[in-house]
mmCIF file of all heavy atoms in Angstrom:
data_model
loop_
_atom_site.group_PDB
_atom_site.id
_atom_site.type_symbol
_atom_site.label_atom_id
_atom_site.label_comp_id
_atom_site.label_asym_id
_atom_site.label_seq_id
_atom_site.Cartn_x
_atom_site.Cartn_y
_atom_site.Cartn_z
ATOM 1 N N PRO I 175 11.826 18.378 9.795
ATOM 2 C CA PRO I 175 12.789 19.447 10.059
ATOM 3 C C PRO I 175 12.089 20.802 10.066
ATOM 4 O O PRO I 175 11.108 21.027 9.363
ATOM 5 C CB PRO I 175 13.762 19.338 8.889
ATOM 6 C CG PRO I 175 12.992 18.664 7.807
ATOM 7 C CD PRO I 175 12.007 17.776 8.499
ATOM 8 N N ASP I 176 12.617 21.697 10.907
ATOM 9 C CA ASP I 176 12.141 23.065 10.901
ATOM 10 C C ASP I 176 12.656 23.723 9.629
ATOM 11 O O ASP I 176 13.846 23.659 9.327
ATOM 12 C CB ASP I 176 12.669 23.853 12.117
ATOM 13 C CG ASP I 176 12.033 23.380 13.418
ATOM 14 O OD1 ASP I 176 10.883 22.909 13.359
ATOM 15 O OD2 ASP I 176 12.697 23.503 14.460
ATOM 16 N N LEU I 177 11.757 24.351 8.864
ATOM 17 C CA LEU I 177 12.168 24.975 7.628
ATOM 18 C C LEU I 177 12.203 26.496 7.781
ATOM 19 O O LEU I 177 11.332 27.072 8.448
ATOM 20 C CB LEU I 177 11.221 24.614 6.482
ATOM 21 C CG LEU I 177 11.146 23.130 6.117
ATOM 22 C CD1 LEU I 177 10.169 22.933 4.985
ATOM 23 C CD2 LEU I 177 12.507 22.593 5.764
ATOM 24 N N ASP I 178 13.184 27.112 7.193
ATOM 25 C CA ASP I 178 13.293 28.562 7.150
ATOM 26 C C ASP I 178 12.203 29.048 6.211
ATOM 27 O O ASP I 178 12.186 28.677 5.039
ATOM 28 C CB ASP I 178 14.682 28.960 6.654
ATOM 29 C CG ASP I 178 14.915 30.455 6.715
ATOM 30 O OD1 ASP I 178 13.993 31.212 6.330
ATOM 31 O OD2 ASP I 178 16.020 30.860 7.120
ATOM 32 N N SER I 179 11.302 29.866 6.690
ATOM 33 C CA SER I 179 10.165 30.312 5.876
ATOM 34 C C SER I 179 10.600 31.150 4.700
ATOM 35 O O SER I 179 9.879 31.264 3.710
ATOM 36 C CB SER I 179 9.165 31.097 6.744
ATOM 37 O OG SER I 179 9.800 32.249 7.288
ATOM 38 N N ARG I 180 11.805 31.772 4.752
ATOM 39 C CA ARG I 180 12.273 32.598 3.642
ATOM 40 C C ARG I 180 12.842 31.766 2.524
ATOM 41 O O ARG I 180 12.636 32.063 1.346
ATOM 42 C CB ARG I 180 13.318 33.606 4.129
ATOM 43 C CG ARG I 180 12.727 34.646 5.089
ATOM 44 C CD ARG I 180 13.820 35.474 5.734
ATOM 45 N NE ARG I 180 14.507 34.602 6.702
ATOM 46 C CZ ARG I 180 15.816 34.592 6.880
ATOM 47 N NH1 ARG I 180 16.600 35.379 6.206
ATOM 48 N NH2 ARG I 180 16.371 33.771 7.739
ATOM 49 N N THR I 181 13.588 30.711 2.871
ATOM 50 C CA THR I 181 14.300 29.947 1.840
ATOM 51 C C THR I 181 13.749 28.570 1.616
ATOM 52 O O THR I 181 13.995 27.959 0.583
ATOM 53 C CB THR I 181 15.785 29.811 2.214
ATOM 54 O OG1 THR I 181 15.872 29.026 3.413
ATOM 55 C CG2 THR I 181 16.454 31.159 2.412
ATOM 56 N N GLY I 182 13.033 28.012 2.591
ATOM 57 C CA GLY I 182 12.545 26.645 2.493
ATOM 58 C C GLY I 182 13.605 25.641 2.888
ATOM 59 O O GLY I 182 13.392 24.436 2.837
ATOM 60 N N ASP I 183 14.798 26.119 3.303
ATOM 61 C CA ASP I 183 15.879 25.243 3.729
ATOM 62 C C ASP I 183 15.697 24.845 5.177
ATOM 63 O O ASP I 183 15.079 25.553 5.964
ATOM 64 C CB ASP I 183 17.247 25.931 3.572
ATOM 65 C CG ASP I 183 17.579 26.226 2.115
ATOM 66 O OD1 ASP I 183 17.104 25.477 1.250
ATOM 67 O OD2 ASP I 183 18.314 27.211 1.861
ATOM 68 N N ALA I 184 16.307 23.723 5.551
ATOM 69 C CA ALA I 184 16.263 23.281 6.932
ATOM 70 C C ALA I 184 17.033 24.279 7.806
ATOM 71 O O ALA I 184 18.116 24.728 7.405
ATOM 72 C CB ALA I 184 16.836 21.881 7.068
ATOM 73 N N LYS I 185 16.449 24.639 8.943
ATOM 74 C CA LYS I 185 17.126 25.546 9.869
ATOM 75 C C LYS I 185 18.180 24.807 10.642
ATOM 76 O O LYS I 185 18.014 23.633 10.967
ATOM 77 C CB LYS I 185 16.111 26.124 10.861
ATOM 78 C CG LYS I 185 15.141 27.098 10.276
ATOM 79 C CD LYS I 185 14.248 27.627 11.384
ATOM 80 C CE LYS I 185 13.204 28.570 10.844
ATOM 81 N NZ LYS I 185 12.328 29.053 11.939
#
Side-chain angles (χ1 to χ4, degrees):
D176 290 332
L177 298 180
D178 185 317
S179 61
R180 293 170 288 139
T181 64
D183 295 331
K185 290 183 183 178

